[in-house]
């Protein structure tokens, strides 16, 4: 499996975290694509945020592509999102905007959890009620409380693919 990371107005440090940690989670080769400027096409000035669905559509159609941005994202019907993915598709996006903390170890853990969560959606996983990285998080506290790994149910579904 290959995972492509597309930096979208983000810092190199975050990309390096994912490049190092995602191969451990997915046993995958992680390749970094050339950076892309986020531009204004997906920006909603009334909200002061970028639309995550719009941003996903701007990513290359390589199975599995994770866009990573430091900008604040929202999706229709949500105040904000940590990320969004095409369920069973090819692309996902992750926002680090609300994951930032001065604690570098905690920041790295949050970024890996949410990247893993979004890639899980690309691999066809839905939200999970178990103690699982696929549990829906509506706050940073909920991100911190869930594990970085898949529960046995979700892990077995990925292995079936």
């Amino acid at each position: 499996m290959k995972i492509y990371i597309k930096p979208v107005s983000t810092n190199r440090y975050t990309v390096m975290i994912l490049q190092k940690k995602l191969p451990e989670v997915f046993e995958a080769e992680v390749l970094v694509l050339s950076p892309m400027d986020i531009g204004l096409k997906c920006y909603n000035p009334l909200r002061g945020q970028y639309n995550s669905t719009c941003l996903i559509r701007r990513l290359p159609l390589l199975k599995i592509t994770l866009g990573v941005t430091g900008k604040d994202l929202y999706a229709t019907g949500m105040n904000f999102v940590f990320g969004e993915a095409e369920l069973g598709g090819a692309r996902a996006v992750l926002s680090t905007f609300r994951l930032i903390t001065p604690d570098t170890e905690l920041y790295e853990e949050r970024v890996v959890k949410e990247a893993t969560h979004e890639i899980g959606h690309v691999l066809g996983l839905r939200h999970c009620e178990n103690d699982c990285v696929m549990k829906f998080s509506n706050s940073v506290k909920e991100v911190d409380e869930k594990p970085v790994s898949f529960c046995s149910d979700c892990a077995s579904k990925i292995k079936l693919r």
Side-chain angles (χ1 to χ4, degrees), residues 41-99:
K41 181 177 166 87
C42 300
Y43 184 70
N44 182 331
L46 297 175
R47 296 181 67 120
Q49 294 172 297
Y50 292 83
N51 181 277
S52 56
T53 307
C54 173
L55 188 52
I56 285 174
R57 291 182 183 138
R58 296 187 64 220
L59 296 174
L61 263 173
L62 301 167
K63 180 93 175 163
I64 300 163
T65 303
L66 177 67
V68 181
T69 186
K71 303 296 184 181
D72 197 16
L73 300 180
Y74 77 95
T76 303
M78 305 287 286
N79 290 329
F80 74 91
V81 292
F82 295 115
E84 184 183 346
E86 297 172 329
L87 184 64
R91 302 172 292 189
V93 66
L94 164 70
S95 169
T96 61
F97 185 84
R98 295 173 188 264
L99 303 176

Side-chain angles (χ1 to χ4, degrees), residues 21-42:
K21 298 288 188 174
L22 288 180
E24 298 169 13
V25 176
F26 291 100
E27 297 176 16
E29 181 181 4
V30 176
L31 304 163
V32 178
L33 302 171
S34 61
M36 176 177 96
D37 183 60
I38 199 163
L40 293 176
K41 181 177 166 87
C42 300

